[in-house]
Amino acid sequence: MEAMDSDMGPFCPKYHRAVELIGRRWTGAILRALLSGVSRFSALCETVPGLSDRMLAERLKELEAEGIVTRTVLPETPVRVEYALTAKGRDLDSVIGAVSGWAERWEAVEAASKP
Amino acid sequence: MEAMDSDMGPFCPKYHRAVELIGRRWTGAILRALLSGVSRFSALCETVPGLSDRMLAERLKELEAEGIVTRTVLPETPVRVEYALTAKGRDLDSVIGAVSGWAERWEAVEAASKP
DNA sequence: TACAGTAACTTACCCAAAGTAAGTCATCGC
DNA sequence: GCGATGACTTACTTTGGGTAAGTTACTGTA
């Protein structure tokens, strides 16, 4: 008898926390890159145009604190660091997929309305 | 022979534009409120805790410019304004649903890890 | 052994975005 | 005329994001 689905009330704290976290600047792009297999710090930096190493470090730290990514230091030289998604992070593919789908469905409309 | 699905490459400009737009501060909460039927300016303001009228006005203007909401002035007195989602805006329910779903699935884990 | 190079950060500084508070405009009931 | 109301503006302060340079620890070259 419990309603486990999203309640769709006008305001939901859980949803709000989530959308403000993954909606922060650059975070969406970083998550997509991680989902498609990019894992090293420098590779992530090069993947997302306009993203600085300072911001990348800050966002990765946030995501690590939220249990969305793990950080692994490879003791090579020079030292390399790999970032990987946890189960919680991989589960965000549903969100990234939904955004991608929406963006694809409506891109034509956007492009048509601004000549 | 055309791949219409999201390509899931490491970076996608369409996805990026979309996630930076709907991920801006407050926008996710405003969209959810609109989706669940809240339509008047003051009602939106009261629905989202912490949202100021200044920010609400700014976000609604952006969403209107993107063709996601429409603005209708009701010539009553005092004047009332109703905001409604366009088809493009209503289609965001897939995104909001995905975020809500993720947030519900992982809330327990979050709560458990911070005593 | 000094030196340039590399990866992954830090620190320091600056500006644009977000937050707070107050003001505007038209209209109404009193 | 006077205060109240709804939907904003305008003005100002604070915070977060952007740019650039410095740091650490090793390594390969001269």
Side-chain angles (χ1 to χ4, degrees), chain A residues 29-41 43-44 47 81-85 90, chain B residues 7-11:
Chain A
I30 294 166
L31 289 171
R32 187 190 171 102
L34 287 167
L35 268 172
S36 53
V38 183
S39 56
R40 285 194 16 233
F41 185 87
L44 286 166
T47 298
V81 182
E82 284 208 335
Y83 291 89
L85 292 166
R90 282 190 301 275
Chain B
D7 60 18
M8 268 300 163
F11 183 77

Side-chain angles (χ1 to χ4, degrees), chain A residues 1-79:
Chain A
M1 274 302 181
E2 300 170 46
M4 287 304 289
D5 48 300
S6 44
D7 60 19
M8 269 298 162
F11 184 78
C12 167
K14 293 175 224 161
Y15 163 81
H16 193 240
R17 214 179 105 71
V19 82
E20 294 291 317
L21 168 68
I22 67 187
R24 289 195 81 174
R25 189 128 205 234
W26 305 114
T27 303
I30 294 166
L31 289 171
R32 187 190 171 102
L34 287 167
L35 268 172
S36 53
V38 183
S39 56
R40 285 194 16 233
F41 185 87
S42 57
L44 286 166
C45 221
E46 286 155 23
T47 298
V48 184
L51 172 60
S52 69
D53 52 356
R54 184 196 165 290
M55 271 297 110
L56 178 57
E58 196 170 313
R59 289 293 110 94
L60 285 171
K61 217 176 285 181
E62 290 169 6
L63 292 173
E64 203 190 346
E66 292 290 335
I68 289 169
V69 308
T70 54
R71 182 176 179 276
T72 313
V73 179
L74 307 180
E76 302 168 352
T77 178
V79 69

Side-chain angles (χ1 to χ4, degrees), chain B residues 42 53-54 71 80-81 83:
Chain B
S42 57
D53 52 356
R54 183 194 165 293
R71 181 176 179 277
R80 282 152 196 265
V81 181
Y83 291 89

Side-chain angles (χ1 to χ4, degrees), chain B residues 13-85:
Chain B
K14 294 176 224 164
Y15 162 81
H16 194 238
R17 216 181 103 72
V19 81
E20 293 292 315
L21 169 68
I22 66 187
R24 289 194 80 176
R25 190 132 205 229
W26 303 115
T27 302
I30 294 166
L31 288 171
R32 187 188 172 105
L34 286 167
L35 268 172
S36 54
V38 182
S39 56
R40 285 193 17 232
F41 186 88
S42 57
L44 286 166
C45 221
E46 285 156 23
T47 298
V48 184
L51 172 61
S52 68
D53 52 356
R54 183 194 165 293
M55 272 296 109
L56 177 58
E58 196 171 312
R59 289 291 109 96
L60 286 171
K61 217 176 286 183
E62 290 169 6
L63 293 173
E64 202 190 348
E66 292 289 335
I68 290 169
V69 308
T70 54
R71 181 176 179 277
T72 312
V73 179
L74 306 180
E76 301 168 351
T77 179
V79 68
R80 282 152 196 265
V81 181
E82 284 209 335
Y83 291 89
L85 292 166

